Structure formats: C-alpha cells, structure tokens
Amino acid sequence: VKFNNCAGNKGVRYETNSLDFKVRADGTLYAAHHLQVPSKQLILVVTAWDPQTLGRWEAMVRFLVAEKSQHNGHKPKGRKALPGELVQQQSDTLLPWRQHQSANGLRRQKRDWVIPPINVPENSRGPFPQQLVRIRSDKDKEIHIRYSITGVGADQPPMEVFNIDPVSGRMYVTRPMDREERASYHLRAHAVDMNGNKVENPIDLYIYVIDMNDNRPEFINQVYNGSVDEGSKPGTYVMTVTANDADDGTTANGMVRYRIVTQTPQSPSQNMFTINSETGDIVTVAAGLDREKVQQYIVIVQATDMEGNLNYGLSNTATAIITVTDVNDNPPEFTTSTVMQPPGIPGCTSPPLQSLMGRAGSRSWGGMGLPTITCSHSHFSFSQPKGPREKIQLFAAAVDYEMNRAFMLTVMVSNQAPLASGIQMSFQSTAGVTISVTDVNEAPYFPTNHKLIRLEEGVPTGTVLTTFSAVDPDRFMQQAVRYSKLSDPANWLNINATNGQITTAAVLDRESDYIKNNVYEATFLAADNGIPPASGTGTLQIYLIDINDNAPELLPKEAQICEKPNLNVINITAADADIDPNVGPFVFELPSVPSAVRKNWTITRLNGDYAQLSLRIMYLEAGVYDVPIIVTDSGNPPLYNTSVIKVKVCPCDENGDCTTIGAVAAAGLGTGAIIAILICIIILLTMVLLFVVWMKRREKERHTKQLLIDPEDDVRDNILKYDEEGGGEEDQDYDLSQLQQPETMDHVLNKTPGVRRVDERPIGAEPQYPIRPVIPHPGDIGDFINEGLRAADNDPTAPPYDSLLVFDYEGSGSTAGSVSSLNSSSSGDQDYDYLNDWGPRFKKLADMYGGGEED
C-alpha cells in the first residue's frame, strides 16, 4: 500500500484490523503466519497514523484468493492431500475445523482457524433473514452435527439478531443493522453431535457493521457568541464552532467540513470572516471592523459530512453572533468651546446644583474608553458622561453672592485610557465656561451653635442669662431678624424677640427630669422678613452648677432586729439628690427628745456613708418601734433631715433569725390576742363543718321524698286533654255515673284478666307517698320533676312498660254527685264581645259566640 501525508511520511505507522496480516514500514502487506484462507476474497482495513499529530487515515484492501495448483503433479512430502482440502465446495462455506491425516495413517488435530471478520452493511433493505455465511465441519460426513451460535445478538440482548440453521450451518441476519446503535458483534460457533457432545472447539466469529451515511452533522450549540476588537487585523481569531456526526469518523461518512453561508450585514465587505473547513475556527479575513459603524455581525455556518461534498453529503447550519468590542480610537470633543450660563447660579446653594454646560462627544465609550471631565475651580464639579454625546451636568458647591458674583471656568475632558496604537490625535479637549451668581434670600444663622453657658441652679425668675443673637448674611438687603422659642421642654426660659436676650421664666432645678448630665438644652428660631422669608435655628445649652438644696434621706425605711443585743445590727445609709461636694460624708445621730430613743438605741459610725443602729439595753420587748435619726450632709451650708425608721424587734433563734411567733409578736399582738384569734378560727371551722353536715342531711331527705301525694291532700287542679271535644251535652248522652266512686269492687275483682278500662281503679293496694308541702318552693321545680321520675322508676306496683297504664283515675271520692248541675245558659242576650280582648287564644271562641244574631 502506498501513502503520502505531504510531510515525507516520517514516523508513520501502519496497522490492520486482522491478526493474520501485518504491514511493514514500506507499505508491504504480508501474512503473519501460515494460514488457510477459507473464502475467494478477503477484505482488510489498513490504517496509517502519525504519533506526533495523532492523525489517522484508513484504506480498504480487497484480496482475491486463487486456487493453489500442483506443478508436475508433485504433492507435498509426507502428507496426503484430502479431497476438498484446497478448494471449497461453496464460496460462502467456512471449514474452521479441518482434519488432516499423517503419512503413517494417524490423524492429528491442527489448531483452530482464525475466521476473518464478517462485514454487514447497516440499513439493509433485506429481504430478511439474509444469509451471511455457512459454517460446517468436515466431520459432518461421518456423524450428524448440530450447529449453534452464542453471544450478544444471538442468545444475549439484543436477542435473535443473528441465527443459524442447526443442520446446514447457514448463519443469517434477521433485521436491518444500525452501526450507531452497535458497531460490532462477537459470536461463538459451536458444533455438537446428536447427543449434545462437543465435536469441535468453539470458533470466534466477528461481525462488523459497515457504516452508511445516515446521520447529519449536529452542532453542539445552535447559537454561538463571540467577540472581536474593532480595527483587528486579518487573521485574528474570533471563535470556534463544532459539529459532531454520529457516523463513523474514520470514513467519509463522519468527516465534517465547515463553510460560511451568509454574513449580515455585508459592511464594509461581504467577506469579513472566514472559517477553517476542518477545525471550525472563525477568523477575520479583511480589515475595517469599526464598532461605531457596525456593532454586531450574524454569520450562518454550514457543516457538511462526506468531507464537504454538497452533492452526496448531509448538512446542517448554526448561527454565530460576533460582537465588535470597543477600543479607544476616538478622543472626546466638546461641541462648543465657550458656554455661557444664564441666568446664574443661586448664591449659597447646596449641591447638587445642575447646569447644562455642553456636550462632550466621543465615539469611544465603555470599558477603558470612558472620558474624565475636570474643572479648574474647586467649587464646581461635573457629571461623568456614560454615552456618546451625552449632556454634561455642572454641580456647584455652596457659593456666596456677597463674595463672588461670577466665575470663569476652564473644563477639560480626556479619556481614562490612552488612545489605541496608531491613532495620531490629541487625547483631550478643553472649553471655557462663564458662571454668573444671582443673589437670593439666605437664612439667618447663629455664629455660635451650640452655645454653652454655665450658672448655678436656683437663680431667681427674670435673671438675664445671655444674649443669643443671629447674623443675616444678606449684606445688600435691609432685613430685620425676629427671635422665638422653638423648643423649651421645662418652659424655664424667655427670649426677647428683637435682640435675642434670654431670661429665666422659672427657677432652674438641676435635679429636674429635664436635665441630662447637668445640661439643659433649648432651641431658638431666628427668622428674617425677606421674600420668601428664611429662618435658622440655634441651640443653647445651660450647664447647671449644683448647690446644696436637697436634704439627705435615710435608708432603709424599715428594718428588723432581735430583742437581745449583740446578735445582729441594722446597717443604715443616706441618699442625697445633690452631687459632690454636697453629699457625703453623712453624720448620723439620735435626737435627744424623746429620751427613750438614746436610752434604747445607739448608732455606730462605719464610714462616711454607712453607720450601724443597734440596741443599747440588754433586752427590748418585741414590737414595732419608730426610731428617729438625724442625717446631715457635707454641703455648704449643710442640710439635715430627721427620718424615722420602723424597727421590728422580735425573738430570734440561735442563727439570729426571727421566729414565727416572734414575727407575729413583733407585729404588735400579745399572747392573749393570739389565743383569741386561734379560738375564733376554731369556732369558724366548726360552724363550716356543721353547715356542711346539715346540707348533706337535707339533700338526703330530699332524695327520699316521693313524687305522688295522697289524693285528698292534692288540691291542685288536674287538666286532662282529650283530643276530641265532641258536639256538646245537648247532642251526646253520657253515663255520668261512671265518674262517681263505685261502692264495691266485686265487679272489678271478678273480671277476667286482660285489658282494663281506663276509668277503673287499679287493683291492689295503693302505694303511700310522703306528703309534699301544699305550695312548693319555686326553686324546687327541677327537684320536683326528678323526684317524680325516681318514684315512677322505683314503684313496685307499677306495671311493665308495655302494659296499659291508667292516667285518668281521679281519686276515691267526688265532691259533686253529678256534673249535670253544670248547665250552660241558654239565654241569647249574653254579650261575648269581651273575648276579643283576651288575645289570640280566645279568638276562636269570640268568632263562635260573638254576634249570635247573625248566625
């Protein structure tokens, strides 16, 4: 094989896809060992690759195998030729297992063949199954042999891609192949006898799927973004686009080539960029990139396989967006050299005060090309432009009309970065600016703000403290300033509205809650009468010096001590609202009147702020004692105060703590009072216990009462409701004797068992119930109902729930012999109109009896 890599073929190496053949450095192809070629043709792939560039090139070599002839009828010595050994019966039949016999008649087994790969094109249209090759053993003439294949594609997923006729040994492919799904298969062929015994060793079969151009190149991204500086030279790298082809990259099917289809816009040239057809690198090919003219290019890139053959290859496109980045190739320029500022800047104006000064134009903006605006006067500054031909704003600090009525400025604009190489232009531009200042009404101000004065507290009302005056900066305006209070928390001060003199309106007290750190603060307002009026504020701080105007107070107010001395003492101190030197050290002493104070108590000084109060006598009866103590401070002049401390004297235990009885005794109660209190508590508890027992007994009696009472004692009216009213006494006949008490019970006792009449008296003894009061208490209604329920549930004479109960038995006697005496009046002259006044319940009766003549 011949090969040329245009570099002298230095270091190029050759390989084949078969272990049976090798290639020398000069391209000679030779057999690596003795072998038997089983078919009439053999296809090999020879690969040439460069270790330095890692480039690989492949070529397909096809051998046509000719039959080997015997010259002069000579046969190999020591070996007997077998029929069919050199010539196969069929071109597609492989004999991987060949038996050979030696000259002495012994049979020897040669090593197994290495079967060349079987090539199958992908996307075949069939018909299927399609025969690939036939495998047979020469032992099939002696015994019956069964053939089988194993491996991926046969008995392993994907299943049944290949199968074999077990009798003839013909191997088939059952469906179209896809090289992108799987590029090769490794199978093993087996030969066994009818009993499953191995006849030959398994043979490896390699099946390669031949690639077809069935996949388009696919770009990694549909849109690529890149950038390039304006003014770049031809050959400047911009970006790389990449497309992948799923086909075999070692063949033309997977070799992708790139080209630029269109460029938008086509300015200044339609071919501003080019692309490397193999690597996809996009570079500039022409000069003239100018960001101020064209800021972005859109390039359509096409990728085609089959090494870029547009007639046979498949193509795909992607978009490359190339942004032209700015470089500093244009200096800034002012549109005018002189700018006047009418009508002027107000005097004493706080920043930012904006004024249109002009425009600084530059086509190089962004990045390092931003310009810098500088001014020759410290009172003024300028905004930094952010875009081409942007207005520049002037910021003025506080200016004073009384000091300067006009300003002459020189403004310079320059780039932050130097101009790009090759630009022969000035990097800065200047302009003159004239600023006029107009006078405005300015607010009065206090020269000393905050103003601090010092004075003693307690000065009398009306005392002049100071003059807090303001200054009007408008020297060229005749204006008057008036003063007023803005903040005076304690309302201690007054200010003269004309001259700002401050006097006291009340006594200033350093101990007031309005004082913070001995300082009282008030705010005043100064306003002029200009148009419009202007005002300023000033703060006056008054530091109050302390005087001794507060007497000390004894602490604590209450204490406790044992009735015997030397067990414990009371530590006392004092509190003074003043500050040093008008506080301690304090002097503690007992008054001479009453004399019992100094007789029973004594004070021992500990230090300047503390002393101890203790008993002078050996025993003092338990109780509460008011002990007056005189406390004097160290002020000039000193102040004293007589304070009373309540001391509880009580018996103590061995630890010096008051006992419980002692604490009670100390409260002022004697032994007799304590005993009286205990007796009262016992009596109260006894009364509560008796009341509880009485309530329990009463509740028990109420539970034992029965609901029903004797009929003779029951004076309540019983109203029985019958749902049928009938037509009256005149049209119905009633046996009124049934309502009377029967004289004898014979007719009842002799009656056969069964259902009784509802107007009969129950047979048997009537239960006796306790007699209830005639008029029950209104609060006993609920108890009355509950007792009736319990009586009905516990009545032993009551019939079962499903029996006929008697509800209309009214007692054993009747006060009236007959109800016939209750005759209704037949007189028609009675007036029933009053029934209309009784409400809706009697409306029916009023309709029936009212207006009888109309009926």
Side-chain angles (χ1 to χ4, degrees):
V1 293
K2 294 181 179 181
F3 174 75
N4 184 9
N5 66 346
C6 301
N9 296 351
K10 294 181 179 181
V12 176
R13 300 179 183 179
Y14 300 94
E15 295 177 352
T16 65
N17 62 342
S18 175
L19 299 176
D20 297 330
F21 298 90
K22 295 183 179 180
V23 184
R24 295 190 179 95
D26 59 355
T28 303
L29 185 68
Y30 67 96
H33 52 82
H34 183 274
L35 58 91
Q36 184 74 25
V37 180
S39 60
K40 290 185 177 182
Q41 65 176 1
L42 178 63
I43 299 176
L44 299 178
V45 177
V46 180
T47 304
W49 64 282
D50 189 345
Q52 296 181 356
T53 62
L54 300 180
R56 300 179 68 90
W57 299 267
E58 293 183 353
M60 186 176 295
V61 179
R62 177 176 299 176
F63 292 98
L64 297 180
V65 182
E67 295 182 356
K68 186 177 181 180
S69 61
Q70 300 292 339
H71 300 281
N72 301 324
H74 178 74
K75 296 181 180 180
K77 183 178 180 181
R79 186 172 181 274
K80 183 178 180 180
L82 297 178
E85 179 181 358
L86 300 178
V87 180
Q88 296 182 5
Q89 297 179 358
Q90 296 182 3
S91 61
D92 61 346
T93 302
L94 301 178
L95 296 175
W97 304 287
R98 299 299 297 268
Q99 298 291 336
H100 303 276
Q101 187 173 10
S102 62
N104 56 10
L106 297 177
R107 300 174 63 87
R108 63 184 179 88
Q109 178 72 34
K110 291 180 64 68
R111 68 177 184 84
D112 297 336
W113 288 9
V114 177
I115 305 302
I118 302 172
N119 297 316
V120 180
E122 67 171 333
N123 302 326
S124 175
R125 296 184 180 181
F128 296 99
Q130 182 178 3
Q131 181 175 341
L132 298 179
V133 72
R134 180 184 179 188
I135 301 174
R136 59 178 294 270
S137 171
D138 53 4
K139 290 184 180 181
D140 60 356
K141 297 179 180 179
E142 302 173 1
I143 59 175
H144 293 285
I145 296 179
R146 292 292 182 266
Y147 303 97
S148 63
I149 56 175
T150 60
V152 176
D155 59 346
Q156 298 178 19
M159 307 286 287
E160 298 181 354
V161 177
F162 304 96
N163 60 26
I164 189 172
D165 190 326
V167 177
S168 64
R170 290 184 174 87
M171 191 172 69
Y172 301 91
V173 60
T174 61
R175 61 188 183 190
M177 309 296 289
D178 187 359
R179 192 202 66 84
E180 287 72 37
E181 179 180 350
R182 190 176 184 87
S184 63
Y185 296 86
H186 178 200
L187 303 178
R188 305 201 76 184
H190 305 270
V192 297
D193 59 12
M194 301 300 292
N195 295 324
N197 299 319
K198 183 176 70 172
V199 175
E200 304 286 357
N201 292 327
I203 297 300
D204 292 327
L205 298 177
Y206 293 93
I207 302 174
Y208 293 98
V209 182
I210 301 175
D211 183 44
M212 305 294 289
N213 189 20
D214 57 346
N215 290 279
R216 292 180 180 273
E218 295 291 341
F219 283 95
I220 297 177
N221 301 312
Q222 284 300 315
V223 178
Y224 291 84
N225 291 283
S227 61
V228 63
D229 291 339
E230 62 175 333
S232 297
K233 297 180 180 179
T236 303
Y237 173 81
V238 180
M239 68 172 70
T240 300
V241 296
T242 304
N244 298 323
D245 197 318
D247 292 327
D248 189 359
T250 61
T251 65
N253 299 334
M255 296 182 180
V256 181
R257 298 294 182 264
Y258 304 93
R259 74 185 187 94
I260 293 178
V261 179
T262 59
Q263 168 195 306
T264 305
Q266 298 180 359
S267 174
S269 172
Q270 62 180 359
N271 295 320
M272 295 297 296
F273 305 95
T274 185
I275 187 170
N276 188 306
S277 61
E278 294 185 0
T279 62
D281 295 338
I282 299 178
V283 297
T284 59
V285 72
L289 290 174
D290 191 351
R291 188 199 64 86
E292 287 72 34
K293 294 181 179 179
V294 179
Q295 298 183 0
Q296 190 179 81
Y297 290 91
I298 298 177
V299 177
I300 305 299
V301 180
Q302 183 183 60
T304 307
D305 58 15
M306 295 301 290
E307 298 181 300
N309 191 322
L310 298 177
N311 296 325
Y312 303 102
L314 302 177
S315 302
N316 212 337
T317 59
T319 302
I321 300 177
I322 302 174
T323 302
V324 181
T325 57
D326 184 40
V327 297
N328 192 16
D329 58 347
N330 293 281
E333 297 177 356
F334 281 104
T335 57
T336 58
S337 59
T338 303
V339 178
M340 297 295 294
Q341 173 58 42
I345 298 178
C348 293
T349 302
S350 299
L353 174 67
Q354 301 180 1
S355 173
L356 175 62
M357 186 198 75
R359 300 176 186 264
S362 175
R363 297 191 300 166
S364 298
W365 301 89
M368 295 300 295
L370 286 174
T372 301
I373 309 297
T374 58
C375 181
S376 61
H377 203 288
S378 61
H379 278 78
F380 300 92
S381 61
F382 294 87
S383 63
Q384 302 302 320
K386 301 178 182 179
R389 305 188 62 82
E390 180 184 349
K391 291 183 179 180
I392 299 174
Q393 293 178 327
L394 168 66
F395 295 88
V399 296
D400 192 352
Y401 175 81
E402 287 73 23
M403 299 296 295
N404 293 294
R405 300 187 181 184
F407 293 90
M408 299 295 295
L409 308 180
T410 299
V411 183
M412 181 178 63
V413 57
S414 61
N415 282 113
Q416 296 179 2
L419 294 177
S421 60
I423 306 299
Q424 302 297 329
M425 299 178 66
S426 177
F427 68 93
Q428 63 184 13
S429 178
T430 59
V433 180
T434 301
I435 305 295
S436 61
V437 181
T438 58
D439 192 14
V440 296
N441 184 26
E442 301 172 63
Y445 67 94
F446 291 87
T448 305
N449 195 14
H450 301 16
K451 184 175 182 179
L452 178 66
I453 61 174
R454 300 171 61 92
L455 62 118
E456 289 186 350
E457 64 173 328
V459 295
T461 302
T463 302
V464 178
L465 302 182
T466 184
T467 298
F468 197 26
S469 59
V471 177
D472 192 349
D474 296 317
R475 294 178 297 172
F476 302 102
M477 298 181 182
Q478 300 298 325
Q479 299 178 148
V481 178
R482 306 285 295 180
Y483 301 92
S484 61
K485 284 196 305 182
L486 186 63
S487 173
D488 185 10
N491 201 22
W492 285 346
L493 305 176
N494 288 327
I495 186 169
N496 189 296
T498 304
N499 57 17
Q501 187 180 70
I502 297 178
T503 58
T504 59
V507 177
L508 279 65
D509 186 7
R510 192 199 64 84
E511 290 75 30
S512 172
D513 294 336
Y514 298 103
I515 303 298
K516 304 297 180 183
N517 298 325
N518 301 328
V519 176
Y520 180 74
E521 192 171 276
T523 305
F524 298 93
L525 183 70
D528 60 19
N529 58 351
I531 300 174
S535 61
T537 60
T539 301
L540 177 65
Q541 293 179 334
I542 304 175
Y543 184 88
L544 296 178
I545 302 173
D546 184 43
I547 62 174
N548 193 19
D549 57 346
N550 292 279
E553 293 288 336
L554 182 67
L555 295 176
K557 298 298 183 182
E558 296 182 356
Q560 182 175 283
I561 195 172
C562 297
E563 59 185 3
K564 294 181 180 181
N566 300 328
L567 292 180
N568 55 10
V569 295
I570 300 173
N571 293 324
I572 58 176
T573 185
D576 198 326
D578 296 323
I579 60 175
D580 191 68
N582 297 319
V583 287
F586 300 101
V587 177
F588 303 91
E589 56 184 346
L590 297 173
S592 58
V593 178
S595 60
V597 175
R598 292 192 174 186
K599 178 181 178 181
N600 297 335
W601 305 91
T602 181
I603 293 179
T604 304
R605 180 182 176 88
L606 296 178
N607 52 39
D609 295 328
Y610 290 91
Q612 288 183 344
L613 176 65
S614 59
L615 289 174
R616 178 185 294 273
I617 59 179
M618 298 303 298
Y619 173 80
L620 184 63
E621 184 179 0
V624 179
Y625 297 86
D626 292 336
V627 181
I629 298 177
I630 301 174
V631 184
T632 306
D633 60 18
S634 299
N636 186 18
L639 295 179
Y640 68 92
N641 181 29
T642 302
S643 301
V644 176
I645 179 174
K646 289 184 176 292
V647 181
K648 295 181 181 180
V649 180
C650 59
C652 299
D653 54 16
E654 63 276 5
N655 297 324
D657 299 328
C658 281
T659 60
T660 305
I661 298 178
V664 176
L669 299 178
T671 305
I674 295 175
I675 295 175
I677 292 174
L678 294 177
I679 293 175
C680 291
I681 293 174
I682 295 174
I683 293 174
L684 180 61
L685 293 177
T686 303
M687 293 177 64
V688 171
L689 181 61
L690 293 175
F691 179 75
V692 171
V693 172
W694 178 77
M695 290 297 294
K696 292 288 186 179
R697 183 175 180 181
R698 183 172 179 273
E699 183 70 18
K700 184 176 180 180
E701 291 176 353
R702 291 172 59 186
H703 288 170
T704 57
K705 292 180 180 180
Q706 299 297 326
L707 175 64
L708 301 178
I709 59 177
D710 189 74
E712 296 180 358
D713 297 333
D714 191 4
V715 297
R716 293 172 296 179
D717 295 334
N718 296 324
I719 300 177
L720 301 179
K721 179 180 179 182
Y722 300 94
D723 293 334
E724 183 180 359
E725 297 182 356
E729 294 179 352
E730 298 179 357
D731 56 356
Q732 293 187 12
D733 296 330
Y734 291 97
D735 186 5
L736 298 180
S737 62
Q738 297 293 335
L739 298 178
Q740 299 178 357
Q741 175 65 31
E743 297 297 335
T744 63
M745 298 294 293
D746 294 338
H747 67 285
V748 177
L749 295 176
N750 296 330
K751 188 176 181 179
T752 58
V755 179
R756 298 183 291 109
R757 290 168 54 95
V758 295
D759 55 354
E760 290 181 353
R761 182 176 182 178
I763 302 175
E766 297 181 0
Q768 299 296 325
Y769 301 101
I771 300 175
R772 285 181 56 86
V774 177
I775 302 176
H777 191 273
D780 294 341
I781 299 300
D783 296 338
F784 175 80
I785 296 174
N786 292 331
E787 290 175 3
L789 178 61
R790 284 194 297 270
D793 293 340
N794 299 326
D795 186 5
T797 62
Y801 292 119
D802 56 351
S803 300
L804 183 63
L805 301 180
V806 179
F807 294 97
D808 54 354
Y809 178 69
E810 298 183 354
S812 57
S814 178
T815 57
S818 174
V819 297
S820 58
S821 60
L822 301 176
N823 296 328
S824 56
S825 175
S826 59
S827 174
D829 56 356
Q830 186 174 358
D831 186 10
Y832 295 97
D833 292 340
Y834 62 88
L835 293 176
N836 293 321
D837 301 332
W838 288 10
R841 295 176 180 265
F842 297 90
K843 188 176 187 316
K844 186 67 176 176
L845 291 176
D847 296 339
M848 293 174 58
Y849 293 96
E853 297 178 357
E854 298 178 359
D855 296 339

